[in-house]
């Protein structure tokens, strides 16, 4: 079994935020989520995060164990704190990574774990990821002896000659647990930052005749560490690009990936087209051949096939197939639309169920309503669902015709085939087939 320790207790001072750094979001997920996700994909079963108090309070969101490092005395100290809590598994492997690298990829973890096992000649005690990067850089420099790593020098401790080295320590390591436990207790803090550096275990290994092998990462973006909000925006852009490419390869047309904002773990069916300035998040599921946007916002929205959403907002709602919404509509709060519904411009629907074929084409508010098949809601209809204390229900049957500007004062029920005249104020239930007009609405005399 492979264990991972993710270091995330640092204060993240440069974010200038009340929120712990690794909880800042990249494409709808805290950045820590991405490291954990990549580790899981790489087959790591046990993941432990070194936290501070604020992060510890949220760690159960991630389904991993948190170990609090009360004082942040450096990356080596963070590992000491973790290892003291974790039972020793002789012969085990431990991956160590930092929690602020949202662009990290599972392949990097697979690669470093693989190198720990292979390494020509004597088995290495540590395999670590290095990366070529344009200078200047704040990353620790990798000093080599032949093909192996001899030492890492942090920027603040480096000589000018060492600073000129362009191979960096990415901050991703696969250790043999026995060797790590042995070395970590010998770390000292006699450096410029007076911190216990995890990277000093390397020099310790080399001195003890153990091998440290580098694994060069192809793309330095994958190991980009986020320290401030400028880097956060950069990471978001990169991640969004990656996500758009993934959905496009699965058969979705994205007209402008630079102006389309997606999240991981969405379901989007083939031949759906997404027009610019659209945001789709929170586990939304979209069927095939839908048209989303321009200017759509979907969050926790479930859509069937052939649904068109133009310039509209859909939150926490479920839509069937062959539906058209917008422009400028707002669906929210557990709204459920059956197939063939039409929601036109300036219509808000909250916590309502609309059956097959219902139309509300213009300027309407439907709240806490249940509407039967093929009913037509005229322009300007309002369900007056709130009496100042309670939210009340409006129940409308099938094939009902609601006239323009009708006010439906809830709780109220209209039977199948009923009709209201323009500007009716309906305060009492209307039986099936009855036609009502006026304020308050009264039945039309029978002809
Ligand atoms: C570290 C590496 C450096 C590498 C760089 C890559 C060390 C000494 N240096 O430098 O070689 O190039 O990352 O990004 O490891 N943390 C704790 N507890 C602590 C201190 C830090 O949990 O006491 C966590 C932080 O939350 C962060 C990670 O460890 O997620 C890295 O710490 P940071 O101080 O940012 O290290 P760097 O100076 O970036
Ligand atoms: Mg850092």
């Amino acid at each position: 079994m492979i264990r991972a320790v993710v270091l995330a207790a640092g204060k993240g001072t440069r974010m200038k935020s009340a929120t712990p750094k690794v909880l800042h979001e990249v494409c709808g997920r805290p950045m820590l989520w991405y490291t954990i996700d990549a580790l899981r994909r790489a087959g790591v079963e046990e993941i432990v995060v070194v936290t501070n108090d604020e992060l510890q309070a949220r760690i159960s969101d991630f389904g991993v164990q948190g170990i609090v490092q009360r004082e942040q005395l450096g990356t080596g100290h963070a590992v000491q704190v973790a290892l003291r809590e974790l039972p020793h598994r002789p012969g085990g492997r431990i991956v160590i990574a930092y929690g602020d690298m949202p662009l990290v990829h599972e392949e990097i973890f697979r690669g470093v774990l693989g190198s720990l096992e292979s390494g020509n000649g004597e088995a290495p005690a540590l395999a670590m990821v290095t990366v070529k990067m344009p200078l200047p850089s704040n990353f620790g420099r990798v000093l080599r002896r032949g093909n192996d790593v001899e030492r890492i020098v942090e920027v603040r401790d480096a000589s000018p000659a060492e600073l000129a080295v362009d191979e960096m320590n990415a901050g991703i390591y696969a250790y043999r647990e026995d060797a790590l436990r042995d070395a970590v207790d010998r770390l000292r803090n006699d450096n410029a930052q007076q911190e216990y550096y995890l990277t000093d275990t390397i020099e310790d290994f080399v001195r003890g005749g153990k091998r440290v092998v580098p694994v060069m990462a192809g793309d330095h973006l994958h190991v980009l560490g986020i320290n401030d909000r400028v880097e956060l925006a950069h990471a978001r852009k990169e991640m969004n690009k990656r996500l758009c490419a993934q959905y496009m390869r699965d058969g979705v047309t994205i007209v402008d990936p630079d102006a389309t904002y997606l999240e991981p773990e969405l379901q989007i069916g083939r031949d759906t087209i997404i027009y610019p300035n659209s945001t789709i998040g929170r586990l939304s599921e979209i069927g095939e051949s839908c048209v989303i946007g321009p200017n759509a916002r979907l969050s926790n929205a479930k859509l069937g096939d052939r649904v068109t959403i133009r310039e509209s907002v859909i939150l926490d709602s479920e839509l069937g197939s062959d539906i058209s919404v917008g422009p400028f509509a707002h669906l929210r709060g557990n709204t459920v639309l059956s197939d063939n519904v039409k929601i036109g411009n300036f219509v808000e629907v909250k916590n309502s169920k609309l059956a097959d074929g219902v139309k509300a084409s213009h300027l309407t508010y439907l709240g806490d309503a249940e509407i039967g098949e093929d009913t037509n809601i005229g322009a300007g209809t309002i369900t007056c669902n709130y009496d100042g204390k309670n939210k009340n229900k409006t129940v409308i049957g099938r094939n009902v015709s609601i006239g323009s500007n009708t006010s439906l004062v809830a709780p109220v029920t209209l039977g199948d085939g009923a009709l209201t005249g323009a500007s009716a104020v309906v305060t009492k239930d209307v039986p099936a087939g009855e036609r009502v007009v006026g304020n308050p609405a009264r039945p039309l005399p029978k002809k």
Side-chain angles (χ1 to χ4, degrees):
M1 185 156 96
I2 297 159
R3 176 185 265 167
V5 177
V6 179
L7 308 189
K11 295 180 200 77
T13 328
R14 282 169 285 173
M15 294 300 282
K16 303 203 170 115
S17 173
T19 304
K21 177 167 83 173
V22 298
L23 294 182
H24 281 261
E25 289 193 353
V26 170
C27 300
R29 296 284 189 288
M31 53 175 120
L32 177 61
W33 181 90
Y34 291 95
T35 306
I36 292 173
D37 184 60
L39 283 164
R40 286 202 176 115
R41 286 174 192 276
V44 176
E45 291 125 325
E46 185 189 357
I47 301 173
V48 176
V49 179
V50 179
T51 63
N52 51 36
D53 288 322
E54 292 93 337
L55 178 59
Q56 185 67 13
R58 289 274 311 276
I59 203 68
S60 60
D61 297 358
F62 299 90
V64 297
Q65 184 191 346
I67 295 175
V68 180
Q69 182 194 18
R70 287 256 131 63
E71 269 185 298
Q72 282 91 47
L73 304 179
T75 50
H77 178 253
V79 171
Q80 285 171 356
V81 169
L83 291 184
R84 245 173 258 144
E85 290 284 318
L86 297 170
H88 185 176
R89 290 213 191 98
R93 315 278 189 269
I94 299 189
V95 176
I96 297 183
Y98 303 150
D100 61 356
M101 288 182 188
L103 298 174
V104 69
H105 212 277
E106 64 189 273
E107 294 307 329
I108 293 183
F109 292 124
R110 281 189 208 282
V112 77
L113 277 162
S115 298
L116 184 62
E117 303 313 323
S118 57
N120 299 326
E122 191 210 334
L126 165 63
M128 57 176 289
V129 180
T130 72
V131 66
K132 292 267 187 192
M133 207 177 267
L135 296 173
S137 158
N138 288 325
F139 278 53
R141 303 299 200 266
V142 177
L143 308 180
R144 289 209 189 207
R145 187 175 53 179
N147 286 331
D148 287 6
V149 178
E150 184 170 38
R151 186 159 75 86
I152 305 296
V153 59
E154 295 303 308
V155 168
R156 288 173 62 180
D157 303 300
S159 67
E162 288 165 341
L163 283 179
V165 172
D166 69 349
E167 185 178 13
M168 312 295 167
N169 171 28
I172 295 172
Y173 319 84
Y175 279 95
R176 281 181 200 282
E177 177 165 348
D178 303 321
L180 175 62
R181 281 190 187 267
D182 175 53
V184 88
D185 286 331
R186 279 195 292 273
L187 292 178
R188 293 152 52 103
N189 65 348
D190 50 357
N191 51 54
Q193 300 183 77
Q194 297 193 310
E195 285 187 3
Y196 296 91
Y197 292 160
L198 178 63
T199 42
D200 284 349
T201 54
I202 292 155
E203 214 178 333
D204 185 277
F205 286 162
V206 171
R207 223 183 291 124
K210 297 193 176 78
R211 291 188 59 207
V212 177
V213 295
V215 185
M216 182 99 70
D219 185 347
H220 70 87
L221 268 183
H222 288 185
V223 296
L224 180 74
I226 309 305
N227 293 309
D228 61 27
R229 296 184 203 233
V230 176
E231 288 164 345
L232 184 70
H234 187 180
R236 195 208 58 75
K237 220 180 193 30
E238 278 303 315
M239 178 56 70
N240 195 60
K241 203 189 222 178
R242 201 188 275 181
L243 291 168
C244 284
Q246 175 197 319
Y247 294 117
M248 288 190 283
R249 289 202 181 94
D250 286 344
V252 178
T253 297
I254 298 178
V255 174
D256 184 356
D258 289 335
T260 302
Y261 308 95
L262 303 179
E263 291 186 4
E265 300 182 312
L266 299 171
Q267 287 179 36
I268 312 179
R270 284 183 179 199
D271 293 318
T272 282
I273 303 181
I274 307 176
Y275 286 96
N277 297 322
S278 295
T279 301
I280 305 176
R282 287 265 322 286
L283 304 175
S284 289
E285 291 171 19
I286 297 170
E288 298 189 357
S289 302
C290 292
V291 178
I292 311 293
N295 304 312
R297 181 156 66 91
L298 276 61
S299 172
N300 186 26
K302 313 265 186 282
L303 275 54
D305 300 327
R306 298 172 301 282
V307 175
T308 298
I309 309 284
R310 289 198 188 85
E311 282 105 350
S312 292
V313 176
I314 318 285
L315 312 175
D316 306 310
S317 294
E318 201 170 313
L319 282 61
S321 294
D322 301 292
I323 288 174
S324 154
V325 175
F328 313 112
H330 184 190
L331 272 46
R332 63 188 177 95
N334 298 315
T335 283
V336 179
L337 307 186
S338 295
D339 298 345
N340 303 302
V341 165
K342 177 171 190 264
I343 301 293
N345 33 206
F346 308 108
V347 174
E348 177 181 3
V349 188
K350 184 217 84 173
N351 187 33
S352 293
K353 273 201 174 67
L354 276 54
D356 209 305
V358 169
K359 289 191 178 68
S361 299
H362 332 267
L363 302 154
T364 286
Y365 173 59
L366 301 170
D368 307 301
E370 227 178 278
I371 305 178
E373 274 173 39
D374 296 322
T375 283
N376 188 68
I377 308 289
T381 297
I382 305 290
T383 54
C384 312
N385 61 329
Y386 187 48
D387 59 14
K389 282 199 188 116
N390 299 308
K391 299 284 170 73
N392 298 304
K393 246 188 125 165
T394 301
V395 180
I396 304 176
R398 306 159 61 143
N399 287 304
V400 173
S401 183
I402 304 287
S404 296
N405 260 327
T406 295
S407 299
L408 300 159
V409 182
V412 69
T413 298
L414 291 82
D416 294 345
L419 176 146
T420 71
S423 295
V425 178
V426 181
T427 56
K428 290 192 187 120
D429 291 353
V430 180
E434 187 147 275
R435 304 189 297 164
V436 298
V437 295
N439 177 8
R442 292 193 179 86
L444 268 180
K446 302 248 172 351
K447 280 184 229 154

